[in-house]
Amino acid sequence: WLAPGTSGAVWWSSGKQQAMQIIASDSSSRLSAWSEPFEIRQTRIGAYPLVLKSKSTNGSRSLLCVSIDQEAAIFSITVRGAEHCHTLVNRHPHVDVQAKLQGTSDDPAFFFSASFRQRVSFAGLGPAATGVNRLRLAVTS
C-alpha cells in the first residue's frame, strides 16, 4: 500500500505481459475498490475514473482519477481526487441527464445524474481490460 502523497516503484521480471490492478481504500477503510486488470502499455495512456464503494449497504461512494502516463521507457500511474475525474455538465434547462460507464454493473454506485446547471464527476471501474470505457447517457424531460 502507498500512503497519500507517497510513491513507489514496480517492475516485472518478464516482459511478456505486464498487467496491473489498482486497489484503493480511503483512510477509514470504509470505502474500497479494485480496478479491472489492465496491461501497462502505450495505448493505455490517459485518465480513468474509479468508484470507491462503501463496504456497508448505505450506498456511499467516493471517486478517484487514475492517470497513466509515459516518459521514455518509464510508465507512471497517479491517483488523484474526484476533481480530476471526467465531468458531466447539464446546460439544458428542461432536461435531466443520467450517465453510466459501459461495463459497470447495475449497482447504483455507478449511476450519475445532473440537473440543469449542475456539474457531476463520474467514474467506473478504472482502466478497461480491453478497448475503451464508453459512456452511456440517458436524457429525460
Side-chain angles (χ1 to χ4, degrees):
W1 289 97
L2 293 175
T6 64
S7 63
V10 176
W11 60 90
W12 285 265
S13 58
S14 169
K16 290 182 181 180
Q17 183 180 9
Q18 298 177 347
M20 179 171 269
Q21 204 168 6
I22 302 290
I23 306 161
S25 178
D26 73 348
S27 58
S28 69
S29 296
R30 290 181 308 105
L31 303 172
S32 64
W34 289 66
S35 73
E36 294 291 319
F38 60 95
E39 285 188 81
I40 303 296
R41 57 183 175 184
Q42 197 167 18
T43 58
R44 290 286 180 232
I45 292 173
Y48 302 93
L50 177 66
V51 172
L52 291 179
K53 291 175 35 177
S54 173
K55 293 178 182 176
S56 68
T57 57
N58 69 0
S60 61
R61 66 181 177 197
S62 184
L63 309 183
L64 299 176
C65 182
V66 177
S67 300
I68 301 172
D69 202 358
Q70 182 181 17
E71 179 76 28
I74 298 174
F75 285 92
S76 64
I77 299 173
T78 306
V79 179
R80 297 186 280 180
E83 66 276 8
H84 297 281
C85 286
H86 302 317
T87 306
L88 176 66
V89 180
N90 184 352
R91 293 190 176 145
H92 195 290
H94 304 296
V95 300
D96 288 329
V97 180
Q98 292 85 35
K100 175 184 177 297
L101 283 169
Q102 186 176 354
T104 57
S105 69
D106 288 337
D107 185 326
F110 296 107
F111 286 86
F112 300 87
S113 298
S115 299
F116 178 51
R117 292 189 178 149
Q118 193 175 21
R119 300 176 65 89
V120 177
S121 295
F122 63 90
L125 298 171
T130 59
V132 176
N133 292 327
R134 290 191 166 85
L135 182 66
R136 293 180 175 246
L137 293 173
V139 179
T140 57
S141 56

PDB file of all heavy atoms in Angstrom, residues 17 31 38-39 45 50 68 82 132:
ATOM      1  N   GLN A  17       3.790 -10.220 -20.441  1.00  0.00           N
ATOM      2  CA  GLN A  17       2.545  -9.496 -20.198  1.00  0.00           C
ATOM      3  C   GLN A  17       2.704  -8.700 -18.918  1.00  0.00           C
ATOM      4  O   GLN A  17       2.890  -9.260 -17.844  1.00  0.00           O
ATOM      5  CB  GLN A  17       1.347 -10.428 -20.074  1.00  0.00           C
ATOM      6  CG  GLN A  17       0.052  -9.656 -19.906  1.00  0.00           C
ATOM      7  CD  GLN A  17      -1.157 -10.568 -19.785  1.00  0.00           C
ATOM      8  OE1 GLN A  17      -1.019 -11.772 -19.666  1.00  0.00           O
ATOM      9  NE2 GLN A  17      -2.328  -9.976 -19.803  1.00  0.00           N
ATOM     10  N   LEU A  31     -14.463   2.642   2.478  1.00  0.00           N
ATOM     11  CA  LEU A  31     -14.659   2.623   1.031  1.00  0.00           C
ATOM     12  C   LEU A  31     -13.454   1.961   0.392  1.00  0.00           C
ATOM     13  O   LEU A  31     -12.315   2.225   0.762  1.00  0.00           O
ATOM     14  CB  LEU A  31     -14.804   4.048   0.487  1.00  0.00           C
ATOM     15  CG  LEU A  31     -15.913   4.898   1.082  1.00  0.00           C
ATOM     16  CD1 LEU A  31     -15.800   6.335   0.586  1.00  0.00           C
ATOM     17  CD2 LEU A  31     -17.267   4.335   0.727  1.00  0.00           C
ATOM     18  N   PHE A  38      -5.475  -4.477 -16.077  1.00  0.00           N
ATOM     19  CA  PHE A  38      -5.179  -3.842 -17.361  1.00  0.00           C
ATOM     20  C   PHE A  38      -3.695  -3.952 -17.657  1.00  0.00           C
ATOM     21  O   PHE A  38      -2.880  -4.036 -16.757  1.00  0.00           O
ATOM     22  CB  PHE A  38      -5.628  -2.372 -17.362  1.00  0.00           C
ATOM     23  CG  PHE A  38      -4.961  -1.528 -16.306  1.00  0.00           C
ATOM     24  CD1 PHE A  38      -3.830  -0.790 -16.607  1.00  0.00           C
ATOM     25  CD2 PHE A  38      -5.467  -1.485 -15.022  1.00  0.00           C
ATOM     26  CE1 PHE A  38      -3.207  -0.025 -15.634  1.00  0.00           C
ATOM     27  CE2 PHE A  38      -4.856  -0.719 -14.038  1.00  0.00           C
ATOM     28  CZ  PHE A  38      -3.725   0.013 -14.342  1.00  0.00           C
ATOM     29  N   GLU A  39      -3.368  -3.994 -18.947  1.00  0.00           N
ATOM     30  CA  GLU A  39      -1.972  -4.063 -19.372  1.00  0.00           C
ATOM     31  C   GLU A  39      -1.353  -2.678 -19.311  1.00  0.00           C
ATOM     32  O   GLU A  39      -2.007  -1.680 -19.577  1.00  0.00           O
ATOM     33  CB  GLU A  39      -1.864  -4.603 -20.791  1.00  0.00           C
ATOM     34  CG  GLU A  39      -2.094  -6.089 -20.894  1.00  0.00           C
ATOM     35  CD  GLU A  39      -1.772  -6.587 -22.290  1.00  0.00           C
ATOM     36  OE1 GLU A  39      -0.573  -6.799 -22.569  1.00  0.00           O
ATOM     37  OE2 GLU A  39      -2.713  -6.744 -23.066  1.00  0.00           O
ATOM     38  N   ILE A  45      -2.311   5.037 -22.066  1.00  0.00           N
ATOM     39  CA  ILE A  45      -2.062   6.375 -21.535  1.00  0.00           C
ATOM     40  C   ILE A  45      -3.380   7.144 -21.533  1.00  0.00           C
ATOM     41  O   ILE A  45      -4.114   7.160 -22.511  1.00  0.00           O
ATOM     42  CB  ILE A  45      -0.983   7.102 -22.364  1.00  0.00           C
ATOM     43  CG1 ILE A  45       0.363   6.407 -22.139  1.00  0.00           C
ATOM     44  CG2 ILE A  45      -0.908   8.577 -22.000  1.00  0.00           C
ATOM     45  CD1 ILE A  45       1.471   6.907 -23.018  1.00  0.00           C
ATOM     46  N   LEU A  50     -12.450   6.017 -11.248  1.00  0.00           N
ATOM     47  CA  LEU A  50     -12.664   4.803 -10.462  1.00  0.00           C
ATOM     48  C   LEU A  50     -13.584   5.109  -9.278  1.00  0.00           C
ATOM     49  O   LEU A  50     -13.366   6.089  -8.569  1.00  0.00           O
ATOM     50  CB  LEU A  50     -11.314   4.286  -9.959  1.00  0.00           C
ATOM     51  CG  LEU A  50     -11.277   3.060  -9.064  1.00  0.00           C
ATOM     52  CD1 LEU A  50     -11.752   1.819  -9.809  1.00  0.00           C
ATOM     53  CD2 LEU A  50      -9.866   2.840  -8.535  1.00  0.00           C
ATOM     54  N   ILE A  68      -2.547   7.433 -16.245  1.00  0.00           N
ATOM     55  CA  ILE A  68      -1.398   6.644 -16.709  1.00  0.00           C
ATOM     56  C   ILE A  68      -0.644   7.490 -17.728  1.00  0.00           C
ATOM     57  O   ILE A  68      -1.236   8.004 -18.674  1.00  0.00           O
ATOM     58  CB  ILE A  68      -1.858   5.310 -17.335  1.00  0.00           C
ATOM     59  CG1 ILE A  68      -2.651   4.501 -16.309  1.00  0.00           C
ATOM     60  CG2 ILE A  68      -0.659   4.525 -17.852  1.00  0.00           C
ATOM     61  CD1 ILE A  68      -3.312   3.268 -16.881  1.00  0.00           C
ATOM     62  N   ALA A  82     -11.617  13.279  -6.961  1.00  0.00           N
ATOM     63  CA  ALA A  82     -12.759  13.398  -7.874  1.00  0.00           C
ATOM     64  C   ALA A  82     -12.686  14.644  -8.754  1.00  0.00           C
ATOM     65  O   ALA A  82     -13.189  14.634  -9.882  1.00  0.00           O
ATOM     66  CB  ALA A  82     -14.065  13.403  -7.082  1.00  0.00           C
ATOM     67  N   VAL A 132     -12.028   0.635 -24.825  1.00  0.00           N
ATOM     68  CA  VAL A 132     -12.233   1.933 -24.184  1.00  0.00           C
ATOM     69  C   VAL A 132     -13.524   1.898 -23.384  1.00  0.00           C
ATOM     70  O   VAL A 132     -14.504   1.291 -23.808  1.00  0.00           O
ATOM     71  CB  VAL A 132     -12.325   3.041 -25.271  1.00  0.00           C
ATOM     72  CG1 VAL A 132     -12.630   4.385 -24.651  1.00  0.00           C
ATOM     73  CG2 VAL A 132     -11.051   3.101 -26.081  1.00  0.00           C
TER      74      VAL A 132
END
